[in-house]
Amino acid sequence: MDKIAQMKKLIEQINIHNHNYYDLDAPTISDAEYDKLYYTLVDLEKETGTTLPSSPTLRVGGAVLDAFAKKEHPKKLYSLNKVRDEDDLRSWIRDMQSFNPDMTFTVEYKFDGLHLVIEYNDGKFVSATTRGNGFVGEDVSQQVKTIRSVPLEIDFKGHLFVEGEGMMTNHALKIYNRNAEEKLKNARNAAAGAIRNLDPKETAKRNLDFFCYAVLQIEGKTFNSQQEIHEFLQKNGFAIGDYFKVVKTADEVIEQIRWIDSRKSSLDILIDGAVVSINEIRYRDDIGWTTKFPKWAIAYKFVAQEISTTLLDVVWQVGRTGKVTPIAVLEPVELAGATVQKATLNNYDDILRKNVSIGSRVFVRRSNEVIPEVLGLAERGENAKEIEEIKTCPSCGSALVKKGPLLYCPNQNGCFEQIEGRLTHFASRDAFNIEGMSEKTATVLIQMLNVKNPSDLYSLSHEDFLTLDKFKDKKAGNLAKSIEKSKSIDLHKFLYAIGISEVGIKTARDIANRFGSLENIMHAKYSEIENITDIGPIIAKNVYDFFKNEENIAEINKLLTAGVKIKNPAKRDFTSPIAGKKFVLTGTLPTLSRAEATELILAGGGEVAGSVSAKTDYILLGENPGSKFEKAKSLGIKMLSEDEFKKLLS
Ligand SMILES: [Zn+2]
């Protein structure tokens, strides 16, 4: 037998023993016998100077790293939108089925581990990266290589990025703890800690697993369904877990969810919910994505972060736009690791609908990003008191105005809470980023120095601040300095800072990139604003109306006169023939890469969208186009070849 063949045989044997030991907890040979096989292989590898890609010696972990390198994902990683009860799930399914009643749904576990992207090329493991912020993660290739369920070699030869979850099974945790000095308590933290450990040998010791569930990007292959993706992953040697279902109706989906819920605590792995997706890829492209998540998939979370507590009182809070919101004051209660004592009641119609009253027990829900919300009545208190709708502004006493279900204080320039809200928003980090402008400082400036508008800040001096209580020379100087420093600002931050209703920092950036300068934005037509991807008619109207309001224009002019300098985004040619046009790319172009084509479109003032819609102007069409092509054809959207595209630009 030649040495390579001998090595192959050893690898096969060792892998079987690994499986018996780690997975089955039933070794069939002694440790000494195992070591003999293992070191024979190590010797042969040294002798031949060859390490076969599937060799277990690659799993022991290499040198300790100084730091994790940053690595960019080939495309953005989305998160999943969540539902927490069956009603919400049913209504999501109904929405989806309205696109096409023939669609089917897949139900899968939602693994509770560390999200990883693993890259393969030419059938070989290339790299592994943590999720990070969705665009850039940490290179954990050396660590992930030690995970035995990550294949180092696969049959598929194209450039491939898969997504999955690095996990520690309860079984592996038990074995690890048997010999560990410091016992690990939680399999999830154990897995995350092992992968984000600079010493790959530590990762190897924890005996992790990798469960693969998605293809992020693939070269030279397309899929028609989630089921095909699943089968592809399995065929290429990835662990995919023991559960995957394709079903058609809402009842069937819910039946599956209940079944998973009932057995989740007896599983060897941690799951925190189920993922329901549309199976057919062609429907996914039609339904599309929001900026945060695909609309065609949803996570059903099992542990509802809900609790009941007593509603003690309701206070009304005035926001910077004048909106007056009822806030529930609650008997403090622990919920998902935090003490909750306030929650929003949204508006008065909502209060009536939920039938809650002061002195009653109410259900409160907390989700990750949003402030807690009162869900509804748990039990009416004996002496419960109805909540009354407020008629006058709690801050300035003005009569409130109702717009739909929402209440507004119309006293824009004389209402303390509105002014304070505008000032702190203006000074916040994503806006003018004025250090030292806390809510407390804002209050003092309004009360003592008669600040009414953000532009008033720029006429205040060091001496003015010295007249304030508790403002010594240093504090006054620092505030004056940070106000001065804030004068130079990016266009999108400026747009965000001036407080256009419902314009967050992301929308502000989209608008800034589209129009390039404040001047252009101020003179933009409504239709031009509305035409920006991700901007709907309401926000477009808010933006358009904002710049038609004389008071707003006066305030902007005051800011500019005070010396505010706006930095415009990188120059884009808004006179080019593709300015304002929306492109969708599909297929492989003959010479341009996707990134290069995108760059050219942006430089010409155009936009690139991920999915085809009626708003799309052009399809930039390459070889082997995806389902976007069919969709675009049915909508009659103009198709451009790379040559035609280049001609259009020249
Ligand atoms: Zn008011």
Side-chain angles (χ1 to χ4, degrees):
M1 199 183 334
D2 74 22
K3 288 191 173 132
I4 298 291
Q6 200 184 341
M7 282 158 66
K8 277 189 184 154
K9 181 110 180 88
L10 280 166
I11 289 169
E12 212 173 282
Q13 284 176 317
I14 293 168
N15 283 341
I16 289 171
H17 291 306
N18 278 342
H19 176 67
N20 290 342
Y21 181 84
Y22 289 114
D23 303 330
L24 306 178
D25 203 9
T28 54
I29 55 172
S30 70
D31 285 358
E33 285 167 303
Y34 176 88
D35 286 351
K36 198 173 157 213
L37 292 174
Y38 188 87
Y39 287 106
T40 310
L41 177 64
V42 171
D43 288 344
L44 279 169
E45 285 177 350
K46 267 191 204 139
E47 211 180 310
T48 58
T50 309
T51 305
L52 295 170
S54 54
S55 170
T57 64
L58 290 170
R59 307 277 191 191
V60 296
V64 179
L65 308 177
D66 292 331
F68 290 108
K70 296 268 181 260
K71 193 164 188 307
E72 203 173 323
H73 299 304
K75 62 183 187 194
K76 177 180 168 182
L77 303 183
Y78 285 89
S79 43
L80 284 176
N81 198 5
K82 296 175 188 70
V83 289
R84 282 165 202 277
D85 61 44
E86 292 182 0
D87 286 345
D88 287 352
L89 181 60
R90 275 183 197 280
S91 94
W92 177 80
I93 292 171
R94 251 196 318 273
D95 282 354
M96 293 300 113
Q97 285 170 330
S98 70
F99 283 91
N100 192 313
D102 293 335
M103 65 176 53
T104 58
F105 296 92
T106 59
V107 186
E108 299 172 65
Y109 290 152
K110 186 170 184 303
F111 297 107
D112 191 11
L114 186 73
H115 192 158
L116 295 169
V117 174
I118 306 188
E119 178 187 7
Y120 291 84
N121 203 359
D122 198 23
K124 292 189 180 63
F125 175 96
V126 177
S127 71
T129 312
T130 61
R131 182 180 194 285
N133 62 7
F135 296 97
V136 177
E138 287 173 329
D139 185 337
V140 288
S141 304
Q142 295 312 315
Q143 285 72 12
V144 168
K145 255 184 165 176
T146 69
I147 301 176
R148 285 175 311 110
S149 45
V150 171
L152 298 175
E153 253 190 324
I154 58 173
D155 289 340
F156 181 74
K157 298 294 181 230
H159 199 182
L160 169 71
F161 293 84
V162 298
E163 282 177 83
E165 215 82 2
M167 307 192 62
M168 192 170 193
T169 61
N170 294 328
H171 178 75
L173 184 73
K174 212 162 81 190
I175 293 186
Y176 178 89
N177 278 343
R178 227 181 259 163
N179 302 313
E181 277 171 38
E182 204 171 317
K183 303 218 184 307
L184 301 168
K185 288 191 192 76
N186 167 304
R188 191 193 181 281
N189 296 344
I195 292 170
R196 298 200 64 262
N197 192 311
L198 288 167
D199 184 357
K201 288 197 174 60
E202 275 305 311
T203 320
K205 276 189 206 156
R206 303 252 175 121
N207 191 27
L208 303 182
D209 268 295
F210 175 73
F211 291 96
C212 192
Y213 47 73
V215 169
L216 178 64
Q217 187 161 294
I218 188 164
E219 174 196 76
K221 185 169 176 62
T222 52
F223 299 103
N224 293 313
S225 66
Q226 177 74 4
Q227 195 167 9
E228 276 186 25
I229 294 172
H230 197 75
E231 284 160 7
F232 168 83
L233 293 171
Q234 187 169 33
K235 228 181 89 214
N236 278 281
F238 292 98
I240 47 174
D242 62 356
Y243 177 85
F244 181 87
K245 275 282 179 301
V246 180
V247 292
K248 186 129 198 317
T249 66
D251 284 344
E252 287 168 339
V253 171
I254 288 187
E255 194 184 294
Q256 290 301 319
I257 299 265
R258 287 183 184 166
W259 185 79
I260 297 173
D261 196 8
S262 72
R263 76 189 284 249
K264 66 172 190 287
S265 53
S266 62
L267 295 175
D268 193 26
I269 47 169
L270 293 180
I271 60 171
D272 58 351
V275 177
V276 183
S277 322
I278 292 176
N279 189 25
E280 295 81 9
I281 308 289
R282 62 181 187 279
Y283 300 138
R284 292 183 180 182
D285 288 347
D286 289 348
I287 290 163
W289 287 257
T290 71
T291 53
K292 273 200 187 143
F293 33 73
K295 292 182 195 162
W296 44 261
I298 201 114
Y300 184 94
K301 300 278 271 183
F302 289 136
V303 192
Q305 304 195 323
E306 287 175 24
I307 202 160
S308 71
T309 185
T310 306
L311 175 60
L312 300 176
D313 197 6
V314 171
V315 294
W316 296 79
Q317 193 173 291
V318 188
R320 63 185 162 85
T321 59
K323 189 164 102 183
V324 181
T325 310
I327 305 289
V329 180
L330 305 166
E331 176 85 53
V333 63
E334 287 297 311
L335 178 56
T339 306
V340 174
Q341 39 196 341
K342 275 185 181 175
T344 181
L345 280 158
N346 298 315
N347 57 60
Y348 194 68
D349 286 5
D350 219 34
I351 291 175
L352 295 179
R353 194 172 57 78
K354 287 170 179 166
N355 193 25
V356 292
S357 45
I358 293 166
S360 291
R361 285 191 81 74
V362 294
F363 287 113
V364 180
R365 169 166 66 189
R366 187 169 164 263
S367 47
N368 298 335
E369 297 138 70
V370 195
I371 55 166
E373 183 189 12
V374 173
L375 290 177
L377 182 69
E379 193 186 8
R380 204 177 154 81
E382 236 171 75
N383 300 311
K385 205 176 103 216
E386 296 313 319
I387 299 163
E388 279 176 40
E389 187 172 29
I390 197 167
K391 300 284 180 236
T392 56
C393 176
S395 173
C396 70
S398 303
L400 297 177
V401 179
K402 210 155 184 184
K403 294 184 193 167
L406 304 177
L407 285 170
Y408 284 88
C409 165
N411 185 13
Q412 220 192 343
N413 295 314
C415 180
F416 175 81
E417 278 194 47
Q418 287 190 54
I419 297 171
E420 187 201 62
R422 280 202 299 274
L423 273 187
T424 45
H425 172 76
F426 182 87
S428 65
R429 184 178 300 208
D430 281 341
F432 274 75
N433 193 18
I434 302 175
E435 270 170 56
M437 263 291 283
S438 61
E439 213 170 280
K440 225 160 111 194
T441 305
T443 304
V444 175
L445 296 184
I446 298 164
Q447 287 172 340
M448 307 308 292
L449 296 176
N450 202 25
V451 169
K452 281 201 158 50
N453 291 302
S455 62
D456 296 339
L457 292 175
Y458 294 103
S459 57
L460 298 176
S461 65
H462 188 171
E463 286 69 35
D464 292 323
F465 298 135
L466 279 175
T467 65
L468 299 173
D469 193 27
K470 291 194 185 127
F471 270 72
K472 296 266 158 50
D473 196 47
K474 190 170 172 214
K475 192 172 173 188
N478 284 345
L479 185 56
K481 241 183 270 167
S482 55
I483 289 176
E484 184 60 32
K485 208 177 94 189
S486 74
K487 282 182 178 172
S488 170
I489 185 167
D490 290 331
L491 177 59
H492 69 279
K493 292 187 171 183
F494 181 90
L495 277 180
Y496 172 68
I498 54 179
I500 306 168
S501 183
E502 283 176 74
V503 172
I505 189 71
K506 197 272 175 198
T507 304
R509 195 190 294 272
D510 289 346
I511 298 171
N513 284 339
R514 164 64 183 87
F515 293 104
S517 74
L518 181 62
E519 189 70 19
N520 289 342
I521 297 166
M522 289 171 82
H523 295 111
K525 295 195 188 83
Y526 168 79
S527 60
E528 291 172 327
I529 305 168
E530 205 259 340
N531 206 23
I532 299 176
T533 314
D534 292 339
I535 291 191
I538 294 174
I539 293 182
K541 187 166 188 313
N542 289 347
V543 174
Y544 182 78
D545 288 349
F546 186 91
F547 291 107
K548 292 291 163 279
N549 178 309
E550 278 173 27
E551 282 178 26
N552 293 336
I553 300 296
E555 171 67 3
I556 289 172
N557 285 333
K558 273 192 218 159
L559 287 170
L560 298 177
T561 314
V564 168
K565 289 268 175 296
I566 299 173
K567 290 180 279 179
N568 290 335
K571 201 86 188 135
R572 296 168 64 196
D573 180 5
F574 293 102
T575 60
S576 98
I578 64 162
K581 300 291 185 202
K582 277 194 196 60
F583 285 77
V584 169
L585 281 58
T586 182
T588 313
L589 297 169
T591 71
L592 290 173
S593 74
R594 202 162 261 259
E596 287 163 344
T598 303
E599 199 52 48
L600 285 173
I601 293 167
L602 292 178
E607 280 186 59
V608 179
S611 59
V612 178
S613 74
K615 282 184 173 184
T616 310
D617 293 297
Y618 294 112
I619 299 290
L620 184 47
L621 185 64
E623 280 212 19
N624 297 321
S627 55
K628 292 173 191 168
F629 171 70
E630 297 297 331
K631 171 99 193 273
K633 217 164 74 179
S634 72
L635 288 171
I637 292 162
K638 184 147 177 52
M639 313 265 175
L640 296 176
S641 68
E642 185 181 306
D643 274 350
E644 288 167 328
F645 170 65
K646 284 177 172 165
K647 260 185 217 136
L648 190 63
L649 283 177
S650 61

